[in-house]
Amino acid sequence: MTMALTSETIFLINQRLEKGLEALGIAADSAQRERLAALVTLLHKWNRAYNLTAVRDPLDMVSRHLLDSAAVLPHVRGPRVLDVGSGPGLPGLVLAILAPELEVTLLDSNGKKVRFQRQAVMELGLGNVTPVQARVEQFSPPEGGFDQVVSRAFANLTDFIALTRGLVAESGQWLAMKGPAVDNELAQLDADVCQVARLTLQIPFESGVRELVVLEPDASAR
């Protein structure tokens, strides 16, 4: 049987969320913060039965999952965003909560993780999120492709680009959330991929750093 979170833990979740978002410079209204806290509660509940993430502590879920996901929000323009290898919906669910103008598609081949995504979308009332269970190689994008394709823990950069090249719009971008040791991956990129930015993101309550690499198709190479 799933053990419910105590009122003290829920208070600490909300406190960490509020302080973390403030540290990231992200404004969130009370309804958005409530949805984010509810997402943590739901993820903790499902994780005990379905092992969706190795992170067990709900406070660690706030920093390692939600705040980590939220840190890329300033670089997300959309409006059509594809979250590849989304797992339990990260970063896509967080981005959709904080930026309701986005149209977010969550793509993953793992059935139990997509079932969680669908439950989260239903319980949180997210009308701007579409969970899809499919392998990326078999997924057909909407006409024109996605404005941005984001990955958090999907594959190395070469594979990420190769697998999603047909999914990104001509003027679109890839956003790859990586660890600090990304230099070798960048060196192996094809010549028709242009590096737009490489940013170091400090995640609140986490000692490590997150690298965000922004890439675009090189129009001159077409």
Side-chain angles (χ1 to χ4, degrees):
M1 180 174 292
T2 301
M3 186 181 300
L5 296 176
T6 65
S7 57
E8 180 183 6
T9 300
I10 293 172
F11 172 81
L12 292 173
I13 287 171
N14 282 286
Q15 185 182 58
R16 178 164 288 199
L17 265 174
E18 186 172 352
K19 290 182 177 179
L21 291 171
E22 183 179 358
L24 292 171
I26 295 174
D29 60 29
S30 58
Q32 289 169 321
R33 291 196 301 271
E34 285 175 8
R35 276 176 161 166
L36 290 172
L39 177 57
V40 176
T41 300
L42 189 63
L43 182 57
H44 179 261
K45 175 183 176 181
W46 273 60
N47 200 47
R48 293 173 66 87
Y50 296 103
N51 196 29
L52 301 175
T53 168
V55 179
R56 301 294 178 186
D57 187 294
L59 291 180
D60 288 339
M61 288 179 177
V62 173
S63 50
R64 296 185 190 177
H65 287 327
L66 270 67
L67 296 178
D68 183 68
S69 297
V72 303
L73 181 64
H75 311 285
V76 176
R77 65 188 190 203
R80 292 193 294 187
V81 176
L82 173 65
D83 178 6
V84 174
S86 184
L90 302 165
L93 288 172
V94 175
L95 298 176
I97 290 170
L98 292 172
E101 69 276 9
L102 296 176
E103 301 168 23
V104 179
T105 299
L106 310 175
L107 180 63
D108 203 279
S109 61
N110 185 299
K112 64 183 179 181
K113 292 179 180 178
V114 176
R115 284 195 294 275
F116 172 79
Q117 295 172 11
R118 291 173 178 150
Q119 186 70 21
V121 166
M122 183 184 70
E123 290 199 19
L124 302 178
L126 298 175
N128 60 333
V129 180
T130 304
V132 176
Q133 182 182 347
R135 294 182 61 84
V136 63
E137 303 94 325
Q138 300 166 338
F139 175 64
S140 298
E143 185 175 353
F146 290 90
D147 301 295
Q148 289 179 307
V149 177
V150 59
S151 77
R152 183 167 175 262
F154 175 59
N156 65 51
L157 287 178
T158 301
D159 291 342
F160 173 43
I161 299 298
L163 288 167
T164 61
R165 191 178 287 272
L167 305 179
V168 68
E170 282 192 15
S171 59
Q173 292 183 327
W174 291 281
L175 273 61
M177 302 169 67
K178 308 293 290 185
V182 72
D183 295 276
N184 289 339
E185 294 184 33
L186 286 169
Q188 295 173 23
L189 287 176
D190 290 340
D192 62 349
V193 177
C194 178
Q195 179 179 329
V196 178
R198 178 180 174 180
L199 307 155
T200 299
L201 307 176
Q202 184 63 57
I203 310 303
F205 307 104
E206 290 293 308
S207 57
V209 296
R210 166 70 83 181
E211 296 268 352
L212 175 65
V213 179
V214 183
L215 306 165
E216 290 180 354
D218 187 351
S220 65
R222 293 193 185 104

